[in-house]
Amino acid sequence: MKRRAVIAGNWKMYKGGALGVELAQKLVVACGDLATVDVVVAPPFTALAAVAHELQGSRIDLGAQNLHPAAEGAFTGEVSAPMLLESGVRWVIIGHSERRQLFGETDDSVRDKVRAALEHGLRPIVCLGETLAEREAGRTLEVVHRQFDAFAATLASKPGFGVVAYEPVWAIGTGKVASVEQAEEVHSALRARLANHGPEVAERTRILYGGSVKPDNAAALLDQPNIDGALVGGASLDAESFCRIVAAAPSAA
Ligand code: 13P
């Protein structure tokens, strides 16, 4: 049986303030009432409260793009899980490749953030993926397994609550989508790895694909047995594109 799909929009550092409100309003009209797919949008921190307000009464959930593992403290510039919850956030993206590559995130910090999210009842969307050089060196599975093993036991402590997002770095923002076969190969390897934590964890954990997902390639990806959703960057900044991707997701009860 297909797991319930998750379609998440990562707005990155776009659509703050008024532009975020406008996009949220359009999304609510275009795909705000779907009961068969989990739809999530992750705006920049400054737009969270205003977007939460727009999403009220719709079925679209609010996500954040990062969190600090501590609940509070002297951590200038950081935001904690309780603060996100208070702003209406229910999901949080952790370990995105841009954070790993540009902001020094490590496998250890990713695990600590996953633990903090789970402790406070935020659903983590934990990202992993290989670079082009790693793929060309034949190291794709070695790299994603290493990234995965750092947080897997923590994620498995609440089966089905958090999700994993496979985002090959070479496919992000490049228009080069992984082929359906390339994506499914990694997703099925991750599913087998999840089984190390028990059959329930393997069966219930949703694994999203991210990297140049667009309305015209979404259906083929989402049709794969181990692809349970999409983490969408560029195409999530336009309500029509994002909602066409949502509409491409198989329905589940
Ligand atoms: P694009 O969809 O723009 O390739 O971005 C993917 C991504 O990084 C989502 O987190």
Side-chain angles (χ1 to χ4, degrees), residues 8-12 93 96-98 127 165 167 171-176 209-214 231-236:
N10 174 8
W11 293 4
K12 307 194 179 182
I93 299 169
H96 191 278
S97 67
E98 286 149 17
C127 303
E167 297 206 315
I172 294 177
T174 58
K176 281 188 206 154
Y209 169 79
S212 298
V213 176
K214 307 285 178 217
L231 181 54
V232 186
S236 75

Side-chain angles (χ1 to χ4, degrees), residues 51-236:
V51 170
H53 182 75
E54 297 304 327
L55 297 181
Q56 262 173 25
S58 82
R59 288 182 176 268
I60 303 175
D61 273 351
L62 190 62
Q65 299 174 20
N66 186 25
L67 84 170
H68 189 280
E72 61 180 2
F75 300 109
T76 302
E78 294 291 315
V79 176
S80 71
M83 292 169 185
L84 294 176
L85 281 164
E86 202 182 6
S87 305
V89 170
R90 296 293 171 261
W91 299 72
V92 60
I93 299 169
I94 295 174
H96 191 278
S97 67
E98 286 149 17
R99 297 217 53 88
R100 291 179 190 258
Q101 293 196 322
L102 305 172
F103 302 103
E105 293 236 357
T106 63
D107 289 343
D108 284 349
S109 68
V110 168
R111 185 201 47 240
D112 292 347
K113 289 178 179 194
V114 172
R115 182 177 298 131
L118 293 176
E119 261 170 31
H120 293 280
L122 280 178
R123 291 180 180 267
I125 300 173
V126 199
C127 303
L128 43 70
E130 82 288 2
T131 63
L132 184 59
E134 288 162 344
R135 174 163 284 270
E136 285 176 346
R139 295 182 49 220
T140 298
L141 291 182
E142 173 202 328
V143 169
V144 300
H145 284 161
R146 189 207 76 227
Q147 293 172 329
F148 175 81
D149 287 349
F151 65 80
T154 307
L155 192 72
S157 66
K158 270 194 173 181
F161 188 72
V163 308
V164 177
Y166 169 55
E167 297 206 315
V169 177
W170 49 271
I172 294 177
T174 58
K176 281 188 206 154
V177 64
S179 70
V180 165
E181 294 76 22
Q182 285 172 324
E184 175 61 18
E185 182 196 8
V186 175
H187 282 238
S188 69
L190 289 171
R191 181 87 53 213
R193 205 85 171 171
L194 281 164
N196 294 339
H197 302 274
E200 188 194 359
V201 173
E203 180 52 36
R204 293 185 55 191
T205 304
R206 291 167 293 181
I207 309 175
L208 320 187
Y209 169 79
S212 298
V213 176
K214 307 285 178 217
D216 59 359
N217 60 28
L221 288 160
L222 293 168
D223 207 34
Q224 296 301 302
N226 290 294
I227 301 184
D228 309 310
L231 181 54
V232 186
S236 75

Side-chain angles (χ1 to χ4, degrees), residues 15 19-32 54-55 60 237-240 243:
K15 306 282 183 190
L19 291 176
V21 166
E22 192 189 329
L23 177 54
Q25 288 168 344
K26 288 184 179 163
L27 288 167
V28 168
V29 173
C31 56
E54 297 304 327
L55 297 181
I60 303 175
L237 301 177
D238 176 79
E240 197 211 322
C243 290

